Amino acid sequence: MPTPTPVLVFDVFGTVVDWHGSIVREVQALYPQVDADAFATAWREGYQPAMQRVRSGELGWTLIDDLHRMVLEELLPRFGLTRLSEAEREHLNRVWHRLDPWPDAVAGLHRLKTRHTICTLSNGNLGLLTNMAKRAGLPWDCVLSAEVFRAYKPDPRAYLGAVEVFRLRPEQVMLVAAHHDDLAAARSCGLATAYVERPLEWGAARPKDVSPVPANGWHARDFGHLADQLGC
């Protein structure tokens, strides 16, 4: 019998990869004088406001790589890093291409891939997501990004665009994410949803509430647990 959701689309930052831990480790290695935890948190906190400038029309379409760089430039004075060269700034900005997967992610994706087409649906740009997958061994069948649809989640064009790529009905595509707002927006477009717990997304000092939300079709501790539930 065919699976009811042949395609699983994944949020990436925080759901598949550990952005906070990865940035902390790299900043500690490169700039040990910096509070790496505060730096990683502040950089990520600039993410949604930067995207909102695009959504509102204040900025034209701008890739996440360039939005990350805009936020980084604002952070450097605060953390005493204004002397970084252009090459050093660009290398640091590309840390987002080098994020490490959560420990369960690669094996879990391989299991899920046995019964489903697995695909990114991230606000990250295509080059970033491809470089990340290559380095981390993420076995995507397809890489989709807000860049394809020129619409950042939670814009419905991102979710419905992914559905259209596969020529399916919305309920045949399931978003897998660690963020309830992302999942709620997907459900409003008719997609199925699965929540994956990532309590340490923002680091051990700021654990997330990962309580179930009944509106989600699935709730999993990690990708292995989701694979168990989906019979993979």
Side-chain angles (χ1 to χ4, degrees), residues 145-175:
S145 158
E147 180 184 352
V148 176
F149 314 112
R150 297 179 77 83
Y152 283 126
K153 295 185 298 178
D155 190 307
R157 288 176 291 174
Y159 306 103
L160 295 175
V163 170
E164 180 58 27
V165 163
F166 293 103
R167 305 302 293 269
L168 294 171
R169 299 186 304 277
E171 65 271 18
Q172 293 178 291
V173 176
M174 182 157 70
L175 177 68

Side-chain angles (χ1 to χ4, degrees), residues 11-12 29 36 57 75 77 79 81 94-95 127 136 162 179 183 188:
D11 172 68
V12 174
L75 293 183
F79 289 91
L81 293 174
R94 287 175 71 89
V95 68
H179 309 113
L183 294 165
S188 73

Side-chain angles (χ1 to χ4, degrees), residues 113-146:
K113 184 178 170 123
T114 62
R115 292 193 62 187
H116 303 267
T117 294
I118 61 171
C119 178
T120 64
L121 184 58
S122 171
N123 286 331
N125 44 284
L126 291 168
L128 182 160
L129 294 169
T130 302
N131 290 339
M132 176 195 292
K134 182 76 169 176
R135 176 183 176 276
L138 303 172
W140 303 120
D141 293 308
C142 177
V143 174
L144 287 180
S145 158

